[in-house]
Amino acid sequence: MASAATAHSHDHEHHDESSLRVFGFWIFLITDLILFAVLFATYVVLQGRYNGGPTEAELFSVPIFVTSTFILLTSSFTSGLAILQLQKGKVKSTVVWLLITVLLGIAFVGLEIEEFMTMVHEGATISTSAFLSAFFVLVGTHGLHVSVGIIWMTSAAIQLARHGINDVTTRKVNIVGIYWHFLDVVWIFIFTVVYLMGVM
Amino acid sequence: MKEQNSTHHLSAKPYIIGFIYSLILTIIPLVLVFNEMLDKVALIVSILLIACVQFLVQIYYFMHLKENENRFYIILTLAFGIVVVVTVVGGSAWVMNF
């Protein structure tokens, strides 16, 4: 009886701690959100300061940014499916969905690198105008976050494949899942404020 | 007890619904922008509102807030974050009008 009670309270402590760590991660996400807020504010202020350089309408390719957006939305969905498989206790399909998400992330970053390269070849570099400085820093910071997410999610998938589902791997996969949805949320605003407002 | 807790969210349905909503909420602003049906201010306001709805969809369907025991504190932190974002971005945009 006594041992059962201790086991239960021990279990409960584990659960509490895991929940607390997820909360800690949310606090990090909010500070990251504030970082993006500052970059958005800079962009909004400097937008339209072309210094004789190219404008948004001349630079942005509609098919490319629309494709990027759908790729990232789909990856947000597949990372959600990975969490679902994790909750069902299926290691293999969790790893598969995580890797599909990673591949979509790589496609997204690849498109972004190509977009940046094309711009630079056309003479639109980070030092061309205030608008382009703000653009490259804002969109580049997001791309960097996705790149970090790719490495992070791959590591979480490897760890899950090696150690199976336990408290630690469950928590790690859950947290990287939340991070991935956060990247999608930030992109939605880049899509709206930078790209859609740029081409309208 | 553990199984009782975890059975209600083991369906792919909320994820599929969330995904469909997020696709619709991406297509609507594209249609609005490229069909030029609205004047500029109305267009900016509507695509920003749609982005906010999209944000709520991601939080509600994908980010597992309901399952966390600290959800109240998470929502409180999130609310604080949104206040900062709106103040910093909105304030910067507004002050440039003068």
Side-chain angles (χ1 to χ4, degrees):
Chain A
M1 185 77 181
S3 78
T6 350
H8 182 260
S9 88
H10 186 70
D11 234 34
H12 194 68
E13 265 167 39
H14 259 292
H15 199 58
D16 270 356
E17 198 199 276
S18 182
S19 203
L20 207 58
R21 280 174 189 245
V22 173
F23 175 50
F25 186 72
W26 272 93
I27 294 180
F28 158 74
L29 279 190
I30 301 304
T31 57
D32 216 21
L33 190 67
I34 293 169
L35 164 75
F36 278 107
V38 172
L39 296 178
F40 268 107
T42 312
Y43 183 81
V44 168
V45 168
L46 296 180
Q47 150 191 68
R49 272 66 175 173
Y50 303 121
N51 188 32
T55 63
E56 292 99 324
E58 291 160 11
L59 284 173
F60 297 162
S61 148
V62 177
I64 288 186
F65 79 73
V66 172
T67 313
S68 310
T69 304
F70 282 111
I71 288 176
L72 209 61
L73 278 178
T74 311
S75 79
S76 192
F77 173 57
T78 56
S79 77
L81 291 180
I83 303 299
L84 179 72
Q85 296 304 318
L86 180 78
Q87 287 167 342
K88 284 184 178 172
K90 293 179 181 164
V91 178
K92 220 173 184 178
S93 34
T94 309
V95 172
V96 169
W97 284 114
L98 285 176
L99 292 181
I100 291 172
T101 310
V102 165
L103 286 178
L104 289 167
I106 292 171
F108 174 85
V109 173
L111 269 179
E112 188 168 302
I113 290 172
E114 198 189 284
E115 186 196 20
F116 282 11
M117 299 268 277
T118 316
M119 284 184 178
V120 170
H121 276 300
E122 286 168 359
T125 67
I126 195 164
S127 49
T128 304
S129 64
F131 150 65
L132 278 168
S133 305
F135 168 80
F136 277 113
V137 174
L138 171 60
V139 181
T141 305
H142 178 268
L144 205 64
H145 273 73
V146 178
S147 309
V148 170
I150 288 169
I151 297 166
W152 186 1
M153 196 172 264
T154 312
S155 328
I158 292 171
Q159 204 173 22
L160 186 69
R162 274 196 186 163
H163 301 288
I165 296 176
N166 56 40
D167 278 358
V168 176
T169 52
T170 302
R171 191 187 70 231
K172 287 189 175 176
V173 173
N174 270 316
I175 286 178
V176 76
I178 297 173
Y179 179 73
W180 201 270
H181 295 309
F182 166 77
L183 297 180
D184 194 34
V185 166
V186 173
W187 181 258
I188 289 159
F189 285 95
I190 291 180
F191 167 72
T192 306
V193 174
V194 176
Y195 288 96
L196 282 181
M197 289 188 186
V199 295
M200 74 191 215
Chain B
M1 176 149 163
K2 203 176 174 191
E3 260 169 40
Q4 239 178 21
N5 276 341
S6 50
T7 39
H8 69 278
H9 52 70
L10 285 188
S11 149
K13 213 175 145 196
Y15 293 99
I16 294 167
I17 295 173
F19 185 49
I20 292 169
Y21 278 148
S22 69
L23 288 179
I24 294 171
L25 291 169
T26 308
I27 293 165
I28 295 174
L30 280 171
V31 171
L32 287 179
V33 167
F34 291 108
N35 283 353
E36 292 165 1
M37 320 188 245
L38 299 166
D39 67 272
K40 200 161 181 177
V41 177
L43 189 57
I44 289 175
V45 171
S46 32
I47 64 176
L48 278 176
L49 280 177
I50 294 165
C52 294
V53 176
Q54 173 86 278
F55 166 68
L56 292 176
V57 165
Q58 292 281 326
I59 297 262
Y60 184 81
Y61 288 98
F62 292 156
M63 283 168 113
H64 307 283
L65 267 184
K66 278 178 279 180
E67 293 151 39
N68 195 297
E69 324 170 350
N70 296 315
R71 62 187 166 279
F72 173 73
Y73 298 99
I74 294 177
I75 292 166
L76 208 60
T77 317
L78 197 60
F80 165 72
I82 291 167
V83 169
V84 174
V85 171
V86 170
T87 312
V88 171
V89 182
S92 303
W94 175 65
V95 84
M96 290 308 283
N97 291 321
F98 297 95

